[in-house]
Structure formats: structure tokens, C-alpha cells
Amino acid sequence: MVLWISGSFLAAAAAPWAVKRFPRHAGMILALWPGLLFVWFLSVLPRVGQSPVVTTHEWIPALGIRFSLYLDGLALLMSLLISGIGSLVILYAGRYLERHPDLGKLLALLLAFMASMLGLVLSGNLLLMFVFWELTSIVSYLLIGFHHEDEGARRSALQGLFVTFAGGLALMTGLILIGSVAGSYEWRTILDSADAIQASPHYPLALVLLVVGAMTKSAQFPFHFWLPNAMAAPTPVSAYLHSATMVKAGVFLLARTHPVLGGTALWTALLGTAGAVTLLLGIWLAMRSTGIKRVLAYSTIMALGTLTMLIGVGSDKAIIAAMAFLFAHSLYKGALFMIAGILDHQAGVKDLTRAGGLARRMPVSAAAAGLAALSLAGVLPLFGFVAKEKLFLSIFASGMAWLTPVVAIGAVLTVGVGALVGIQPWYGKPVATPRPAREPGPSLLAGPLILATGGILFGLFTPVVDQYLLTPAASAVTGHPVTPMLKLWHGLNLALATSIASLALGLLLYRWRTHFRHMTRFSDALAARGPEWLYDRMMALLVRVAGWQTRMLQSGYLRHYLLTTLLFVVACVWILLARSGQALHIAFDLTDIAIHEVMVMLVMSASAILAATSGSRLGAVAALGAVGFTVALVFVLFSAADPGITQVLVETLAVIMLVLVLFRLPRFLKLSSTRVRVQDATVAITLGATFTVLLLLAQDQRLYESISAWHIAESVPSGYGRNVVNVILVDFRALDTLGEIFVLALAAVGVLAMLGLKAEDKPQ
Amino acid sequence: MKPVPEHSLILRVTGLFILPLLILFSLFLLLRGHNEPGGGFIAGLVAASAVALHMFFTSVEAARRMIAVDPRDLIGWGLLIAIASGLAPILSGRPFMEARWIEMTVPAFGLVKAGTPLLFDLGVYLVVTGTVLAILFSLAEDDVQ
């Protein structure tokens, strides 16, 4: 399984190349990889039904983080959706954005997303799962901002990123709490310590944090607002990430942790409320929207709310209803998003009110849209019907009476939304479209057609899907084997009656949709002060605080920074010395000092003084150079050849650079007043004195044995080198050196940027 | 940066001879650095000085042409090589940056030891050369305008 995930990342890396090489068929070629994955996941279907497939590799043993993968029924259901829909979406995207200059980037990101999402659902370690969780957020950010020249898209991308990252932080804290209670981040261990976790005093906090993470990712109220805005992404992205897979990650997390965290009153209250509110809000806003993708986005929010609510209820019936609903929703919503893309691509239609009577020109698309919409509305014999029936039955049996009207109202509005997307653009009076409508080619139609017919096939063969796919998934979520119970026909019962009533009412609602929108205008005023408004206010506040802080701390003058840094260092050193409470005992031992050493010292000091007091720039530079060379001499005197050579070379190159800049500097002027100069001198002398004292103290009192001896002893046996300095640089402390060369490279970038800036400023 | 006037014939002629020697010397310093004074940092500085010298007795363009690659690319390649040398041990299941050595007997050289630290030092060499040259060139080019 590790190979499948890493292979997907490799496929992502190969995508730009494939687009360059086969510009017309890149989508088709790249779709083969997810297709292959899909077949593999299908092939393990019978095996996973028996027991989970587990693989483990050590990753960071010191932190207990293992690269372990855990494929059970739930992970398999998600993986099949991710790879199957992924394959169709990539095929679709290759044609949808054909000849777009960034097609390679899009396909690469889609494949990278698929890899991350697979990693997320297959992880058998909480922290590994978190890594993939964040990866999906990052890829989603890049994909929402795909049209990066559009300011709205950039804003939406950042909004999605901030909301999901905020949730991600909460989630991480929650996961660490769970891990610390269970004593391991391994899923299998945690599964066994469910009782200990629920009994722990950390349980409520851990649960709330985890649920917040899931809610941001799965766009639950009040974090729902980023999802409709994420529709700024190209349509294949919306179909894949923002309806079929990524937004289900939150629901997946809840389902995954249900056997450990679920079943308590807090769990049911939190998820039941959040889910019910999100359900109603989502479908309400969907019915009020006219932009095709917005309608679909809001109805996705409704679906996510339903799933959260069902997992909150947590009975066997509710869980299997959730699995069926999740499966059905991925099929029809993926299809509908791709249809929305077809409408945009083939006719330029983005808004429902701008389309009508298109079925005559695009009969196949209309049929696919109709099938998907029927599944959405939950009409017999489509799979959506099965899911909806089970949803009703589980809610009626849950004993939470207040949920009944919620699902009933939700069902009516859902039928209305189904009609909006399944009827309005296709039938009735033809409306002139921005572009003459034309049926698309097979690459664009394959996705919606396959997914929509899947809806009817799976509906007809409900028991098969149930036994092989949904029951194993539900068993993984409940934590005990569940008996298959899904049927297409449940007989005449209350659920069926509710279904029929909601169908009739929903169609009436569709008939009176303009009146409905008119009558419900009041909710716009509420939305204007909703969570998104709050988000905007918080972001504005953040920017203001950052601006104020920057103005306070960053004066922009190098001398101020230097002064602050140096004085801070001096203060730290003296405070620490004072606190250590030791008498300053400094022993000077001048017995074996040689005359040439004294001379070097004198030359160095004289040069330093000259550099500080020189009246000309050239004089100061020369004096500084002299200081540098005497330092090199000191190195040589103490037989440190490498630092000596380096010092000489650096001094030489410094001279070359100074030659290049010197005569372009303004005339050397004394700009500072005497007072400032005295102040500078005081700081300089204090710093020098501090360091002298520090060095003498360090020389005098050794707290630890010097490491030099070890370095010298180990240089040849473990470093394979006789030059200790070099062995330290490239072997013993190579990580430090790596950091240093990165700093060096950054400094070069900075210098180049500044020089470039100057060249641009020059008047031509 | 104006070319050096005609009369500094001595500088140009000696520069022509010294340049290849300095580059060779820098490689020598790089290779022997593990056992004798030298190493990537010093060698990089020597190489940069050599090119700087060339720049002084010809022109920036000539110096750029001579090293044939953009010094900024050298920085990138250097960092990549350094990281790659650190990643290499991971392939054999060792921690990041742990030194790996291969000993082999090469005809005419005798026993040769090659290892990831040498590769790492090469990365340092390239970063140092690239940084110094990138700054020098852009300073000198700024001058021409």
C-alpha cells in the first residue's frame, strides 16, 4: 500500500511532463493510474471484509510515529471513491482545461491530492493521518487558487486554508491528547483502549478539539462559509475535492474515531446538533441560490451535515445509513458537478436562471443530470432512495424526536434542489445561452454518465453493495460486526410515506421557487452578519495588529537594530552572571606569553582604534582589513590552519567587493552628533568588555569536559579524516553546516534582491 | 566594470596563466580537505577569487561566459547536492546525514576513500562559489550602467 501512495505522488510529479508530451491525451493517460488503484482496491474487497489489512514501517521511532497503514472496510470504501472518482475526474479535467497553459499543474495537483487523501484514509497512525490531513488542506489551497490572477480566487483559497488550518491545529491538539491517554498513536492500540480514553478527564477536551477539526474540514456550521467560496476552483476540482472526497475527511475522521470516542452523551449532543443545524442551513441556502455551483456546494454542506448527524446518533442503523448516504452522495454529487462544468464549458452557463430547454441540444448530458438529480432527490429505484429511506428509518428509531422535523424539512428542500439542477436548465422554454450549446465529447461525458448510471445500478443491486462494501464499512465504524440490512424496497411504512410527501412538496416548492426566494429574503440580512462576516472582521483585526506591531518593532534603521541586539546580549550575559552568584574570579597568567604575540595584539588594537576614528572611508576600510589579517595571524599562531586560510580569503574578497562599491558611495560625511558618537562608543566598549569577561570566565571555569578531545580522538576512526576542522564541518556537525549554507544562499538572494532594487530605482 | 586599460599587460598575461592554476588549486583544496587544511568553504573562496581575478582583467561578461553557468544556479545545485548527500544514508536505513564511506582500490591511485561527506563538501563549495560570484557580478554589472 505504501507503493500505491508513493506511486501516486510520483504520478503527480510526472503529470506536467505528460501534458507537455501528449497535450491532447494527458488526462486519459494519467487517469490510468487511479484506475489501476481502483482495480486493486476492488480486488482486496473480499479480503478486507474478513479482517483489516495492516502494514507498518518505522518512521520516527523516537516519537512513536510509525508509517503504518490500516485498510479496513471504512478505509476501503473511501479509497474506492477516491481512486474511482479520481480517475474519472482526471480524465474529465484533461479535456475540460485542454490547451490551458497550467493544465500540467492542475493534473499534478489533482494526483497529489489523491495521494494525500489516500494517505489520510489509509493511515493507521494518528500523527501520520494528521500529516496527510494537512497535505490535503495545502493542495486544496493551491487548487482553489488555481486561477491565481483572479483576486477573488486568491481570497477564497486563503479563506479555505485558514479555516481548515485553524481546525487542523485543534485536531492536532486533540490527537495528541488521545495519544497521550492511550500511550500510543497507533490506531490498533487506541482501538483497544477506548474505555480508558472515555474515562479519562481529558476526554471532553480531546473530543471537542477533534470535532472542531472535523467540522472545519467538513464545512459544518459555523465553519461552512469557506466551501461555497471554494467554488472559485475549476469545476473538476470542485467535483473531486469539494464534494466527493476532501470535505468528507472530517466525516471520515468522526467515523474512524467513533468506536473509541463515540456513544457518549457529549458525542451525540455535539454531532447531532452541529449536523442538524448544518443540514438545514445548507439545504436552505442551496434552494435560495441560483449559481449552479453554489447550489451544489450548499447541498454538499447539507449532505455533510446529514452525515455528521447520523454519526452523532451512532446506532447501527444510523451508521449504515451514513455509509449508504456517503456513497450515494459521492456518486450523484460528483456527477452533478461535472455536469455543471459541462454546462459552463459547452454553453457558457454558470447560472440556473440563464439556461432552459437545453435537453434538446445536449440529450446525453440532460439524461445524466436527470439520473443524478433523481438520486439526489431520493427517488425509487436509485441508490439515493435507499440511503434516504435508511436515514429516515434510523432517525425515527433514534428516540431523538426533534431530529424528525429536521430531516423531513431537509428532504422537502432536497427534492426542490434536485429539481433545480435536474429540470430547470434542461426543460421548458429555451433560453439563449452565452455560447451555442453543444453536446460534449466522451471524455467529458464519461464521468457524469458512469457515476449517474452507478446510482441506478447500485440501487437495483442494493444487497450486493451492502454486503461487500457498506456493511464492512459500517462494522468498522461501529466497532462490532453489523448485519447487512439495506434493501431497495422496505415495504409500505412511515419512511416511504415521508419520502412520497417530501417528493410532492419538493416539486411544489420548485414550482414556486421564485416566490420562495422572494419570501425568504430576510435570511440574507442574517447572512450579512454571519460567520463569514466575523471571519472577515477577525482577519482585518489581525492585519491591523500586525501592522501596529511592525511599526513598533521595526524602525527600518540598521543602527537601531544593531543597538537593540547588542544591548540585549549584554543585558542577558550580565543578568545570568549576576544570578549565578559566583564571584568574578579571573586569573591572568602571563608567564609564557611570547613577544610576537604581544606585537600582533598591539597591531590589532591599534588598527581597530584607527578604524573607528579614521576620517576617511578608505582609511577605515584599510584599518578594518588590517584587523582581519591580524586575526588570521592569531589563528596561524595557534596552529588553526583552516580558520586562518579562510580568514585571509574572506579579507581578500571583502577588499574586492569594497573596491567595487567604494567609489559609488556618497562622500564620507560625519552625520552623527558627538553625543550619538559617545553613546555608540559606550555601547561598543561595554560589549567588548562583556565578551572579554565572558571569555576569561569560560577559560577559567570549565563546567564540562571540552568536546575537542573527543573530536580529535574520533576524527580518524569515525570521520575517516585527519583534518579535524573539516571532519567537524562535514560530518560531526554537518547539520549545522547545512543550515549555514542555507543562510549563505539566503543572504545571496537578499543581496541580489537589494542590488536589483537599486538598479530599478535609478532614473533612466 | 571597464576592461583594464591596455598598459596592464602584465596583469592580463599573468592572469591568463594563474586562472587555471587557481581553479585546479581550489579543486585540490576541496579534495584534500578531509585530511589536510582545505575543504569546501576554503576551496569555494579560492575558486571565487580566481573568477574575480579574471573579471578584473577582462570584463564581467567575459567572466560570466567563462564559468558558463549562472552563479545563482550554482547556489541551488550546491544546496541540492548537500541535501542529497544527507539523504543518501536514508536509502540504506541510516539516519539523515550519517556519513557513509566506500573504499576502493583505483589503479595508479591506490586506496581511494569516497563518501557522502565529500559530496556534502562539494555542495558547500558550490554554494560558496555561487554566492560570492553572484554578489560580485551584480555589483560589477551595476557599475557598468
Side-chain angles (χ1 to χ4, degrees):
Chain A
M1 281 190 285
V2 179
L3 278 182
W4 293 121
I5 296 176
S6 43
S8 303
F9 279 117
L10 282 182
W17 171 82
V19 171
K20 212 172 275 173
R21 186 79 182 72
F22 311 100
R24 283 189 53 79
H25 303 293
M28 249 175 262
I29 296 164
L30 290 169
L32 289 176
W33 174 256
L36 188 70
L37 279 174
F38 181 74
V39 172
W40 184 79
F41 282 121
L42 268 186
S43 74
V44 294
L45 199 58
R47 191 146 59 97
V48 171
Q50 313 296 323
S51 68
V53 180
V54 182
T55 56
T56 300
H57 300 268
E58 284 298 335
W59 184 22
I60 311 175
L63 296 176
I65 302 177
R66 288 196 192 137
F67 199 102
S68 49
L69 300 178
Y70 184 85
L71 178 63
D72 61 353
L74 177 66
L76 187 62
L77 171 65
M78 291 298 291
S79 303
L80 280 170
L81 290 173
I82 293 162
S83 54
I85 297 181
S87 169
L88 296 173
V89 161
I90 283 164
L91 173 70
Y92 179 91
R95 184 67 71 229
Y96 187 78
L97 284 179
E98 197 179 343
R99 285 194 269 277
H100 190 288
D102 285 338
L103 175 63
K105 195 175 95 182
L106 181 84
L107 294 179
L109 286 173
L110 281 174
L111 281 165
F113 167 77
M114 186 186 78
S116 326
M117 192 69 202
L118 279 176
L120 163 57
V121 298
L122 292 174
S123 293
N125 183 295
L126 292 188
L127 293 183
L128 180 68
M129 189 199 73
F130 178 74
V131 170
F132 284 118
W133 175 283
E134 295 292 74
L135 266 180
T136 59
S137 292
I138 293 169
V139 182
S140 162
Y141 162 74
L142 293 171
L143 282 170
I144 299 172
F146 180 71
H147 297 299
H148 53 82
E149 59 293 320
D150 173 16
E151 196 189 334
R154 291 203 302 268
R155 183 183 171 277
S156 303
L158 269 180
Q159 193 183 52
L161 187 76
F162 284 146
V163 173
T164 45
F165 268 14
L169 279 179
L171 171 67
M172 186 180 72
T173 323
L175 291 179
I176 291 173
L177 275 178
I178 295 172
S180 64
V181 173
S184 164
Y185 292 112
E186 282 295 296
W187 176 244
R188 277 172 300 164
T189 321
I190 290 165
L191 206 52
D192 291 334
S193 41
D195 295 332
I197 290 171
Q198 295 206 359
S200 145
H202 294 307
Y203 169 74
L205 183 63
L207 176 63
V208 168
L209 288 170
L210 186 126
V211 167
V212 166
M215 282 170 71
T216 55
K217 196 82 164 180
S218 279
Q220 302 290 301
F221 178 83
F223 309 111
H224 63 282
F225 56 88
W226 71 266
L227 184 56
N229 293 335
M231 296 299 130
T235 309
V237 175
S238 311
Y240 194 31
L241 273 72
H242 303 123
S243 81
T245 57
M246 188 189 88
V247 289
K248 301 242 165 71
V251 174
F252 167 80
L253 176 76
L254 296 174
R256 175 54 92 216
T257 48
H258 176 258
V260 177
L261 302 175
T264 59
L266 181 63
W267 170 276
T268 309
L270 266 181
L271 298 186
T273 321
V277 172
T278 309
L279 186 169
L280 279 183
L281 181 88
I283 201 67
W284 176 269
L285 291 171
M287 194 65 213
R288 285 191 39 76
S289 305
T290 58
I292 302 175
K293 286 181 75 181
R294 278 194 105 73
V295 171
L296 294 175
Y298 281 125
S299 97
T300 304
I301 292 180
M302 172 265 180
L304 296 168
T306 310
L307 290 171
T308 308
M309 182 183 76
L310 284 171
I311 295 172
V313 170
S315 62
D316 281 11
K317 269 186 186 162
I319 295 298
I320 200 145
M323 293 301 114
F325 199 87
L326 187 151
F327 184 58
H329 177 260
S330 294
L331 295 182
Y332 65 67
K333 198 51 71 63
L336 284 174
F337 263 112
M338 290 195 225
I339 295 282
I342 287 176
L343 281 174
D344 187 8
H345 193 257
Q346 300 295 112
V349 175
K350 292 182 199 298
D351 196 288
L352 286 169
T353 54
R354 300 288 169 78
L358 285 173
R360 251 163 295 166
R361 289 175 170 277
M362 307 159 79
V364 187
S365 309
L371 271 179
L374 284 175
S375 194
L376 166 73
V379 176
L380 199 78
L382 287 111
F383 195 73
F385 172 77
V386 181
K388 196 172 74 168
E389 291 291 284
K390 203 72 210 164
L391 160 70
F392 284 156
L393 287 173
S394 65
I395 293 297
F396 295 160
S398 71
M400 286 188 270
W402 65 278
L403 287 178
T404 309
V406 170
V407 290
I409 296 171
V412 173
L413 285 160
T414 306
V415 173
V417 168
L420 279 184
V421 291
I423 300 176
Q424 194 177 2
W426 310 104
Y427 306 100
K429 239 187 356 208
V431 177
T433 49
R435 278 201 297 277
R438 211 158 45 80
E439 190 76 85
S443 295
L444 286 184
L445 276 176
L449 267 183
I450 291 174
L451 293 178
T453 21
I456 197 160
L457 276 180
F458 295 133
L460 292 174
F461 296 101
T462 299
V464 182
V465 187
D466 187 27
Q467 194 189 340
Y468 286 102
L469 194 58
L470 300 180
T471 305
S475 306
V477 179
T478 53
H480 55 82
V482 176
T483 43
M485 56 171 105
L486 282 183
K487 284 191 294 249
L488 183 60
W489 182 248
H490 279 273
L492 298 168
N493 56 17
L494 187 60
L496 187 69
T498 320
S499 254
I500 292 170
S502 64
L503 201 62
L505 286 173
L507 286 173
L508 275 181
L509 184 67
Y510 168 69
R511 179 81 180 72
W512 299 102
R513 58 186 180 272
T514 41
H515 295 275
F516 172 79
R517 289 194 190 116
H518 193 70
M519 276 161 55
T520 54
R521 271 171 312 170
F522 64 88
S523 69
D524 290 347
L526 281 177
R529 283 281 185 275
E532 186 168 14
W533 173 78
L534 203 65
Y535 167 85
D536 286 337
R537 293 294 299 267
M538 275 164 60
M539 291 315 279
L541 186 71
L542 186 69
V543 170
R544 272 215 303 281
V545 171
W548 168 81
Q549 186 208 27
T550 310
R551 275 195 305 279
M552 290 295 293
L553 296 180
Q554 311 281 342
S555 67
Y557 290 109
L558 186 61
R559 50 183 177 276
H560 290 176
Y561 295 140
L562 265 179
L563 210 63
T564 320
T565 316
L566 297 181
L567 283 178
F568 184 73
V569 170
V570 169
C572 283
V573 168
W574 282 111
I575 288 172
L576 278 178
L577 281 181
R579 280 174 50 149
S580 73
Q582 283 170 344
L584 292 182
H585 171 76
I586 297 166
F588 277 106
D589 181 14
L590 297 176
T591 44
D592 56 348
I593 192 162
I595 183 75
H596 59 275
E597 289 168 359
V598 177
M599 282 167 67
V600 170
M601 283 297 307
L602 286 177
V603 171
M604 196 193 292
S605 314
S607 314
I609 292 170
L610 191 64
T613 56
S614 166
S616 82
R617 187 173 278 127
L618 196 60
V621 167
L624 266 183
V627 174
F629 280 110
T630 42
V631 169
L633 209 55
V634 171
F635 284 138
V636 174
L637 284 181
F638 288 91
S639 57
D642 284 84
I645 300 173
T646 313
Q647 182 76 30
V648 169
L649 285 167
V650 167
E651 288 301 329
T652 313
L653 281 166
V655 168
I656 294 178
M657 293 207 186
L658 281 167
V659 167
L660 288 173
V661 291
L662 203 59
F663 60 89
R664 285 189 292 117
L665 292 173
R667 222 150 51 80
F668 189 78
L669 291 172
K670 204 173 117 182
L671 291 169
S672 47
S673 64
T674 317
R675 201 179 63 81
V676 175
R677 283 176 73 85
V678 168
Q679 177 200 317
D680 291 349
T682 318
V683 172
I685 290 168
T686 318
L687 185 79
T690 307
F691 270 86
T692 311
V693 169
L694 196 63
L695 281 175
L696 286 172
L697 277 177
Q699 197 68 30
D700 194 42
Q701 332 180 316
R702 271 260 147 75
L703 292 180
Y704 306 103
E705 194 54 41
S706 163
I707 197 169
S708 314
W710 183 87
H711 279 150
I712 293 166
E714 286 296 311
S715 180
V716 174
S718 39
Y720 287 92
R722 286 192 305 277
N723 180 357
V724 185
V725 176
N726 189 262
V727 171
I728 294 173
L729 280 178
V730 302
D731 192 346
F732 293 158
R733 316 229 28 151
L735 202 59
D736 291 359
T737 312
L738 187 67
E740 277 155 22
I741 59 175
F742 266 93
V743 170
L744 194 63
L746 269 178
V749 172
V751 170
L752 290 180
M754 278 203 292
L755 289 173
L757 211 66
K758 201 161 145 280
E760 270 170 32
D761 284 348
K762 270 184 193 161
Q764 294 300 310
Chain B
M1 189 78 210
K2 291 167 211 73
V4 175
E6 285 300 309
H7 57 253
S8 75
L9 186 66
I10 298 170
L11 182 58
R12 278 197 292 160
V13 174
T14 47
L16 220 56
F17 284 103
I18 283 179
L19 175 75
L21 286 178
L22 275 177
I23 298 283
L24 271 180
F25 181 56
S26 81
L27 290 175
F28 166 71
L29 281 175
L30 171 69
L31 290 176
R32 76 170 209 152
H34 216 56
N35 289 322
E36 309 294 334
F41 198 84
I42 293 174
L45 290 175
V46 170
S49 317
V51 180
L53 194 62
H54 187 73
M55 184 181 86
F56 272 112
F57 63 73
T58 54
S59 66
V60 187
E61 295 80 51
R64 271 196 192 278
R65 270 200 307 279
M66 189 199 65
I67 60 165
V69 286
D70 192 321
R72 286 172 296 181
D73 292 350
L74 284 184
I75 302 178
W77 282 112
L79 291 179
L80 272 181
I81 290 175
I83 291 176
S85 82
L87 289 176
I90 289 185
L91 295 180
S92 49
R94 308 295 308 168
F96 181 58
M97 298 231 72
E98 193 184 273
R100 310 296 291 161
W101 288 93
I102 307 167
E103 294 190 13
M104 52 192 164
T105 318
V106 180
F109 278 96
L111 189 68
V112 170
K113 285 183 288 187
T116 52
L118 190 63
L119 207 59
F120 183 77
D121 229 7
L122 179 67
V124 175
Y125 175 76
L126 291 178
V127 173
V128 171
T129 314
T131 305
V132 175
L133 286 182
I135 294 173
L136 270 183
F137 283 169
S138 65
L139 275 176
E141 265 162 5
D142 203 25
D143 213 37
V144 180
Q145 290 165 359

